[in-house]
Amino acid sequence: MTMTQRYTFPGVAVITGAGGTGIGAAVAKSFASTGCERIAITDLNLNSLDQTRQAILASHPQARLVIKAGDISDESFVESFIDEVVASFGRVDYAVNCAGILGDALRSTETPTAIFDQINNVNYRGSWLCSRAELGQMVRQDPLASHDPTRAPQRGAIVNVASQLGIVGRPSAPAYCGSKAAVIAMTRSDAIDYSEDGIRVNCVCPGVIETPMTTYSEEVRERLRPAVEIAPMKRMGKPEEVADAVLFLCSPLASFVQGHALVVDGGYVIN
Ligand SMILES: NC(=O)c1ccc[n+]([C@@H]2O[C@H](COP(=O)([O-])OP(=O)(O)OC[C@H]3O[C@@H](n4cnc5c(N)ncnc54)[C@H](O)[C@@H]3O)[C@@H](O)[C@H]2O)c1
C-alpha cells in the first residue's frame, strides 16, 4: 500500500487563513484532493474564500463546505465559527490554524506597541483562540469511527502554523519571531494536556514560502532574499509543500507524532 493510499480523511477539516492562494488555501485544496468531503474554511475576506471554494468544487464537486469570513483575533467570531462547523458537520477532526500576518521590517525601538499587539493578537492570541475552540469540541466528541483501525483511536488532530522564525531569529522582526515562538510553545503545552484525550497537537515551521505574504511587493521580496539564499536549497518553497507536511501530521501515519515542530524550510535552520 502506498503512502498516498493511506492518506484518507473521513472526518471534518477546519482551516483558518484559507482564502486566496497561500498556505491555508493549499491545505484546504489538499484535503479535498485526498478525499476529505467536509471542509470548513475561514479568512478575513469572503471574496478570497470564494476563490478557494471555486477551486475545490471545480475538481471535487462532491465536497461539502462551510465558509465563514471573520477575524480570528475576535473571540466571539472564533467561537461562532466553530459552533457553525459543529452545527453543520457534527464534529472537528483536523484543525489547521494557518491565519497569520508578517508586519513591516522594524527593530524593537522602531515598533509601535499597536503593531506589536496586532501581530501577537493574530499570530499568537488568534491561534490560541482557534485551538482552544477546536480542542473544546474535540474533547467532547467520540474518536472517529472510520479512522485507520490499525492505529490508536484519534479524537482529533491540530496543526498550528508557526514559522522557522519561531526557532531562529531574523533582523527587524521581533514581534513576528516572538509570536511564532509562542505558537510552538503553546503547541507543546497543549500536546501534553490533551494526549490522554486522544488528541494530537503539532505545528509546522515553514521557511520562505511563495505566497502573497512573501511576494506582495518588491520591497518584501528584497527583504526576504537573504533568507532564501541562506537555506541550502536556495529557493522559496511552494504552499503545496507545506500542505503535504500538514496533512501528514493530521493523518493516521502520524499517530505517534505529538507536540512536534516540523520545519519545512529547505534546510534554513540547519545552516
Ligand atoms: N509564506 C511564508 O514564507 C511563511 C513562512 C513561515 C510561516 N508562514 C505562516 O504561514 C501562515 C500562512 O501564511 P501565507 O504565507 O499563506 O500568507 P497569506 O497572506 O497568503 O495567508 C494568510 C491568510 O491569513 C489571513 N488572515 C490574516 N489575518 C487574519 C485574521 N485576523 N483573521 C483571519 N484571517 C486572517 C489572510 O487574509 C490570508 O489569507 C501564516 O501564519 C504565516 O505567518 C508563512
Side-chain angles (χ1 to χ4, degrees), residues 65-161:
L65 297 172
V66 165
I67 294 177
K68 194 174 171 77
D71 181 348
I72 54 114
S73 67
D74 174 348
E75 180 173 4
S76 60
F77 169 73
V78 170
E79 296 293 328
S80 71
F81 172 57
I82 297 300
D83 285 351
E84 193 170 319
V85 175
V86 175
S88 302
F89 291 151
R91 51 191 295 127
V92 173
D93 293 290
Y94 327 108
V96 183
N97 298 314
C98 194
I101 53 175
L102 179 60
D104 293 334
L106 298 169
R107 297 185 299 161
S108 278
T109 48
E110 300 149 1
T111 304
T113 309
I115 296 295
F116 178 90
D117 287 344
Q118 185 191 21
I119 290 171
N120 279 283
N121 278 342
V122 177
N123 293 359
Y124 173 31
R125 186 173 180 276
S127 296
W128 179 74
L129 288 172
C130 292
S131 65
R132 183 181 64 168
E134 294 148 4
L135 285 164
Q137 169 56 32
M138 287 173 179
V139 293
R140 280 198 297 270
Q141 65 195 21
D142 291 331
L144 191 64
S146 46
H147 189 80
D148 184 342
T150 67
R151 301 285 174 133
Q154 180 168 294
R155 197 169 256 120
I158 292 181
V159 178
N160 296 310
V161 178

Side-chain angles (χ1 to χ4, degrees), residues 34 45 50 55 102 113 119 126 131 150 166 181 215 221 228 230 242 252 268:
T34 46
N45 180 312
D50 203 47
L102 179 60
T113 309
I119 290 171
S131 65
T150 67
T215 58
R221 277 184 179 273
V228 175
I230 288 168
V242 180
Y268 183 99

Side-chain angles (χ1 to χ4, degrees), residues 22-23 43 70-72 98 100 161-163 176 180 206-207 209 211-214:
I23 295 168
D43 204 299
D71 181 348
I72 54 114
C98 194
V161 178
S163 170
Y176 184 83
K180 293 300 188 176
I209 309 299
T211 70
M213 180 179 279
T214 54

